[in-house]
Amino acid sequence: MEIKQAIEALGALAQETRLEVFRLLVTAGPEGLPAGEIAESLGAPASTLSFHLAYLSRAGLVVSRRESRSIIYSANFDGMRGLLDFLTQDCCKGRPEMCSPLVEPKPAAAARRAKTC
Amino acid sequence: MEIKQAIEALGALAQETRLEVFRLLVTAGPEGLPAGEIAESLGAPASTLSFHLAYLSRAGLVVSRRESRSIIYSANFDGMRGLLDFLTQDCCKGRPEMCSPLVEPKPAAAARRAKTC
DNA sequence: TCTATAATTCTATATTTATAGAATTATGGA
DNA sequence: TCCATAATTCTATAAATATAGAATTATAGA
């Protein structure tokens, strides 16, 4: 991921409503949620949400698809992974020891990671 | 890291000059760089840089110390790690498989991570 | 103490972002 | 085709951010 793209993604998440939308979509998984449901869930007007969803979409953090009259939004995990990679490599540039272990919230995480090693 | 703090850190990095400052400070390491050198290095006026450095500082991504007449800024790796943890846990909430392996740039990284497992 | 240096804070201005009602577009069913 | 629903785009306005010169503060050396 290049720097311009990273800045766009960072800016997309640097706002309360959008970060909440993203979190909501992450928990919703690949099935996603229709725009209206997201707006209702956050208690914001449809036009405001539409603005934020477009922002997240431009940033590559969510994707959308039409399904009958609804437009379904879902988290773009590849996009998020791209951002995390950018930050990690940026942060660790030349000094990898300073940013790892990246996550160690509870034993389960360590076990999970052990699998991939 | 809580959500307000994460938004501040994301916002701090979501701007070209500040992201460049942070990258510069990461490569500079714990010794850091004086404010003037950072400004000169980026070709921006001192007052502009001061504004951005204060922003990064508020966000917990850099720290400063006075050294004679200079003020030395350095990357706060703990702060950055906090942000990465927040994002990773947020992104992976309920579906950890979607965001790992987080980094796999070259064999060295895998070896490095293997040590921590 | 006086002067030069390093940086910040003050101030004004320009730019970008956010909010939300009104108007518009797209879809599906009667 | 006509109507209701789901969303977006348009528009205006408010709020936050970014830029940079001028003034101020802090430190060190002569």
Side-chain angles (χ1 to χ4, degrees), chain A residues 50-102:
Chain A
S50 199
F51 168 83
H52 289 305
L53 286 167
Y55 206 124
L56 284 164
S57 185
R58 263 198 314 280
L61 293 172
V62 307
V63 291
S64 62
R65 64 181 191 274
R66 180 174 279 279
E67 213 159 272
S68 176
R69 264 177 298 194
S70 297
I71 294 186
I72 312 289
Y73 284 87
S74 52
N76 182 3
F77 291 95
D78 283 345
M80 186 59 175
R81 183 162 41 230
L83 175 61
L84 287 167
D85 281 355
F86 176 88
L87 291 178
T88 306
Q89 282 170 54
D90 225 47
C91 170
C92 295
K93 193 194 313 173
R95 41 199 84 247
E97 71 286 2
M98 302 211 110
C99 286
S100 23
L102 196 53

Side-chain angles (χ1 to χ4, degrees), chain B residues 4-54:
Chain B
K4 290 270 182 193
Q5 214 186 334
I7 287 172
E8 210 165 17
L10 288 163
L13 295 179
Q15 205 274 348
E16 196 167 3
T17 304
R18 285 194 298 263
L19 185 52
E20 272 170 24
V21 168
F22 185 74
R23 282 150 66 92
L24 184 64
L25 291 178
V26 164
T27 57
E31 326 80 59
L33 290 172
E37 231 170 277
I38 300 171
E40 193 187 16
S41 175
L42 300 198
S47 66
T48 298
L49 244 293
S50 199
F51 168 83
H52 289 306
L53 286 167

